[in-house]
Amino acid sequence: MYLLVSIFFGLIPLIQFFIKGWYFFGLSSIGLIVSYFMLKKRGAKPFITEGALLLISQLFMNIIGLSNIPIFLYISLAAVLIFVASRDEKIVDDLKDYIKETGHSKENWDFEVCFFGMGQIKNIDQLTNLSTAAFGFSDKGIAFNTKLRSGYYTRFIDYNEIDDFGMFKLQKKQELYYPKIRDMFIWPSNMSTMHKPYINTYGLYLLVGDESLTFYESPSIILKISEHLEEARR
């Protein structure tokens, strides 16, 4: 089903047969946003299919002279973003395959893409050293995979192996930000936090034997995982 959805949205450039100009930009943007949320967490293949079809169908429209360079660049950028999304989905797909290999059903798992770090994180600056990871949790245990310098690291952990876990808060003081003229033309990357004297972020730590494993994502995802761990340990 979701493969058919990806094919449908991948043919969006063909609506230039009927709609052009700003109407096409508006309609196609809505369609691409809808496709992202429909295909999210459905695996890498639907995203790869959609991205490839976007490029092929847009190239076809340019060849027959029913499109232009700006729209080609716009569709190409959209395809690149979709391929980036497929990369995260591929990490989750690999973790699902690993879970299946361990003899567990992958149907009763919940998955999130987050960041992983080996050892305790003591300040926000250390977050730049974390690697992208897929994190899965079920009533059987947790599993995650990530790419380290030495290669891919995949692991399943039974709840009985976890000695301790919990959320932690990191805080960093920042200097007052004074608006600049360039802010009128280039949106500041720290717009959401520039007015705050402190930057707060949250993570999750797991103690497994002598190891300390750290996971970092948005507070809502970290809280979701932490609450599941609380229930599993009861």
Side-chain angles (χ1 to χ4, degrees):
M1 172 185 175
Y2 292 104
L3 190 58
L4 293 177
V5 171
S6 66
I7 292 174
F8 174 79
F9 286 105
L11 298 177
I12 279 178
L14 298 185
I15 65 177
Q16 293 175 86
F17 278 115
F18 314 101
I19 302 175
K20 297 185 181 296
W22 290 110
Y23 292 104
F24 171 76
F25 276 105
L27 185 61
S28 61
S29 296
I30 294 174
L32 292 171
I33 293 172
V34 170
S35 72
Y36 171 77
F37 286 104
M38 289 185 67
L39 299 177
K40 187 178 180 181
K41 295 189 178 182
R42 303 300 176 182
K45 190 173 181 179
F47 274 131
I48 293 175
T49 301
E50 181 184 7
L53 284 177
L54 282 173
L55 292 175
I56 293 172
S57 54
Q58 178 57 44
L59 184 60
F60 171 75
M61 297 302 293
N62 279 90
I63 290 175
I64 65 177
L66 292 180
S67 190
N68 52 49
I69 297 300
I71 291 181
F72 178 80
L73 295 176
Y74 155 68
I75 293 296
S76 297
L77 176 60
V80 168
L81 294 176
I82 289 173
F83 285 134
V84 170
S86 72
R87 182 182 60 181
D88 287 344
E89 296 293 333
K90 180 64 168 59
I91 297 176
V92 176
D93 287 346
D94 291 341
L95 183 59
K96 289 180 179 179
D97 292 339
Y98 169 76
I99 290 172
K100 185 177 180 181
E101 291 173 0
T102 60
H104 297 91
S105 172
K106 61 182 181 181
E107 301 301 327
N108 300 321
W109 288 70
D110 197 355
F111 297 92
E112 297 289 350
V113 176
C114 58
F115 295 94
F116 168 78
M118 188 74 77
Q120 185 178 359
I121 303 297
K122 297 182 179 180
N123 58 69
I124 291 179
D125 294 331
Q126 288 181 283
L127 294 178
T128 58
N129 298 323
L130 302 185
S131 57
T132 303
F135 186 97
F137 50 99
S138 73
D139 57 343
K140 303 297 182 182
I142 67 170
F144 65 93
N145 68 341
T146 187
K147 186 177 181 181
L148 304 177
R149 293 181 180 179
S150 57
Y152 280 97
Y153 181 67
T154 308
R155 187 170 177 182
F156 173 85
I157 301 176
D158 188 279
Y159 290 122
N160 294 327
E161 299 178 56
I162 301 176
D163 297 319
D164 192 19
F165 67 89
M167 294 179 63
F168 62 88
K169 176 181 177 181
L170 298 176
Q171 187 178 77
K172 179 180 180 181
K173 185 176 181 180
Q174 65 175 357
E175 301 294 332
L176 291 177
Y177 184 87
Y178 298 96
K180 303 178 178 60
I181 294 178
R182 69 177 184 181
D183 294 342
M184 299 175 61
F185 307 96
I186 302 177
W187 195 270
S189 59
N190 62 335
M191 175 61 76
S192 61
T193 60
M194 60 169 38
H195 63 287
K196 299 178 180 179
Y198 293 93
I199 301 176
N200 296 319
T201 188
Y202 299 87
L204 174 73
Y205 73 87
L206 300 175
L207 297 181
V208 183
D210 296 332
E211 295 179 301
S212 178
L213 310 175
T214 301
F215 298 91
Y216 168 76
E217 241 305 325
S218 62
S220 60
I221 292 178
I222 292 298
L223 181 60
K224 176 183 176 181
I225 297 174
S226 180
E227 289 177 344
H228 176 83
L229 292 174
E230 290 282 358
E231 292 184 7
R233 290 290 297 271
R234 289 175 183 172

